[in-house]
C-alpha cells in the first residue's frame, strides 16, 4: 500500500488513519486499550466477542480498533480502507498460558456460558491439570496468531519490551508508524496514567493479586508454575513457536 502524504503533524491529511491493534489474548490487550481510550475515545471501535467488530462488520474508516485477535490471513481477508495501519503485540506463550489460567479461574468477568464452563472445569481439577487442559483448549488460538505474524516476517512488539520501554515503543509505533494524530505529550500522559502501579493503586509489579485483571505483570513468571510434566508437554506442542517468536533458542 502506498504511504499517504503527511501533514507537518505527521499524520495523513485530510483524513484520520485507520489503526488496528492486532494481538492475542493475555498479551496486555486491555492495557493498550486503555491508553488508546485516553488518547482518542471518540475514535475507538470497541472490541466484540468473536472479533465481530472486525470480521463481521464493515470497517469504519478513520477509526481505531483495539484488541483485534486475528491471524494474518484473517486480517487480510477484510476490506481495509486507505491509510490503514497496524501494530502487532505478542507475548511469551508460557506466560500467556499462566495468565489465562488465573484470569479464567478467578478474575475475568463471566461474559459467556463458555467462560463459566471453563471456570467450573478449572475449579474441579488440579493446577497442573488446569495448565495442561488450557494448553489444548485455550492456547492454540494464541499460538496461531503469533505464528502467522512472526512467520511472515512482520515486525512485532513484545509485551515484555513494552513493560520496560512503554513510552519509547508506543511513541514510535502509534505516532511515527501509525500516524495517530495526538501530541507526544498527550500520549506520554496516557501511557504514564495506565502503568501497572497507577492502575492498581500503588501495588508494584510482582506483588500478586489473583483476583485482579492486573495480576502480576512479571515476564518469565511461568517458571514459578511449570512442573516438569507441563514443561515437557509445552515443549512438545509449542516449542517451535517459542523459537520462531524469539523466546527460546
Amino acid at each position: 500500500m502506498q504511504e499517504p502524504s503527511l501533514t507537518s503533524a505527521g499524520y495523513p491529511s485530510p483524513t484520520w488513519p485507520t489503526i488496528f491493534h492486532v494481538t492475542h489474548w493475555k498479551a496486555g490487550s486491555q492495557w493498550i486499550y486503555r491508553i488508546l481510550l485516553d488518547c482518542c475515545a471518540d475514535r475507538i471501535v470497541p472490541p466484540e466477542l468473536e472479533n465481530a467488530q472486525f470480521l463481521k462488520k464493515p470497517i469504519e474508516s478513520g477509526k481505531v480498533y483495539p484488541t483485534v485477535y486475528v491471524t494474518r490471513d484473517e486480517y487480510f481477508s477484510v476490506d481495509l480502507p486507505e491509510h490503514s495501519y497496524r501494530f502487532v503485540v505478542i507475548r511469551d506463550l508460557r506466560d500467556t498460558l499462566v495468565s489465562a489460567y488465573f484470569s479464567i479461574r478467578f478474575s475475568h468477568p463471566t461474559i459467556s456460558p463458555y467462560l463459566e464452563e471453563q471456570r467450573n472445569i478449572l475449579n474441579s481439577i488440579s493446577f497442573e491439570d488446569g495448565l495442561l487442559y488450557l494448553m489444548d483448549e485455550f492456547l492454540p488460538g494464541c499460538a496461531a496468531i503469533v505464528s502467522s505474524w512472526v512467520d511472515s516476517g512482520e515486525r512485532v512488539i513484545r509485551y515484555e519490551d513494552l513493560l520496560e520501554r512503554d513510552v519509547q515503543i508506543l511513541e514510535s509505533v502509534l505516532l511515527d508508524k501509525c500516524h495517530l494524530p495526538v501530541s507526544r505529550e498527550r500520549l506520554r500522559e496516557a501511557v504514564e496514567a495506565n502503568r501497572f502501579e497507577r492502575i492498581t493503586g500503588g501495588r508494584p509489579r510482582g506483588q500478586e493479586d489473583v483476583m485482579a485483571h492486573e495480576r502480576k505483570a512479571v515476564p518469565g513468571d511461568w517458571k514459578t508454575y511449570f512442573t516438569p510434566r507441563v514443561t515437557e508437554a509445552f515443549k512438545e506442542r509449542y516449542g517451535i513457536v517459542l523459537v520462531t517468536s524469539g523466546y527460546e533458542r
Side-chain angles (χ1 to χ4, degrees):
M1 178 183 298
Q2 184 176 358
E3 292 290 327
S5 60
L6 303 180
T7 68
S8 59
Y11 57 89
S13 178
T15 59
W16 264 68
T18 310
I19 300 174
F20 302 97
H21 164 215
V22 180
T23 187
H24 59 87
W25 298 269
K26 309 310 300 177
S29 55
Q30 298 307 306
W31 171 30
I32 303 301
Y33 187 10
R34 287 193 300 265
I35 292 171
L36 292 171
L37 273 174
D38 282 358
C39 288
C40 52
D42 59 329
R43 293 280 174 171
I44 295 292
V45 177
E48 300 178 17
L49 290 175
E50 299 181 354
N51 295 295
Q53 84 287 359
F54 181 79
L55 294 174
K56 299 179 182 180
K57 297 180 180 179
I59 299 299
E60 299 182 55
S61 181
K63 294 297 182 74
V64 177
Y65 285 74
T67 66
V68 178
Y69 303 128
V70 292
T71 65
R72 192 172 187 274
D73 285 346
E74 288 172 326
Y75 180 86
F76 284 108
S77 73
V78 169
D79 187 15
L80 301 172
E82 272 194 284
H83 310 325
S84 290
Y85 302 90
R86 66 184 177 272
F87 63 103
V88 182
V89 179
I90 68 169
R91 185 182 187 182
D92 187 326
L93 288 175
R94 295 165 294 193
D95 282 332
T96 300
L97 176 64
V98 171
S99 180
Y101 177 91
F102 284 103
S103 177
I104 294 170
R105 185 172 179 188
F106 297 111
S107 64
H108 201 291
T110 307
I111 58 175
S112 69
Y114 177 75
L115 182 59
E116 184 175 5
E117 175 190 354
Q118 298 304 295
R119 179 163 293 166
N120 289 336
I121 290 172
L122 294 183
N123 282 329
S124 69
I125 59 180
S126 70
F127 183 85
E128 182 183 58
D129 286 340
L131 290 180
L132 291 167
Y133 171 76
L134 291 179
M135 202 181 295
D136 291 329
E137 177 66 23
F138 166 82
L139 206 59
C142 299
I145 291 171
V146 170
S147 294
S148 71
W149 291 101
V150 168
D151 292 349
S152 73
E154 179 92 6
R155 180 192 172 194
V156 299
I157 302 162
R158 303 200 329 172
Y159 166 84
E160 296 80 6
D161 295 332
L162 274 174
L163 285 174
E164 302 304 324
R165 297 183 290 119
D166 51 9
V167 170
Q168 178 185 349
I169 292 173
L170 291 174
E171 277 191 353
S172 173
V173 169
L174 291 176
L175 303 185
D176 300 333
K177 176 186 175 183
C178 295
H179 311 295
L180 181 70
V182 301
S183 69
R184 292 184 185 273
E185 180 181 10
R186 184 174 180 184
L187 176 60
R188 288 171 187 162
E189 289 174 351
V191 171
E192 290 170 1
N194 287 285
R195 284 177 175 157
F196 186 90
E197 294 83 356
R198 295 285 293 275
I199 293 298
T200 61
R203 177 163 53 90
R205 282 172 47 198
Q207 183 176 320
E208 185 175 46
D209 180 353
V210 298
M211 299 306 297
H213 180 83
E214 296 77 20
R215 181 181 62 89
K216 204 171 185 180
V218 174
D221 190 44
W222 63 271
K223 298 172 186 175
T224 304
Y225 302 102
F226 271 34
T227 63
R229 181 181 171 212
V230 172
T231 300
E232 186 60 31
F234 197 100
K235 181 179 179 181
E236 179 182 337
R237 290 164 175 76
Y238 302 108
I240 292 176
V241 184
L242 289 178
V243 172
T244 58
S245 57
Y247 289 102
E248 286 288 347
R249 294 184 178 180

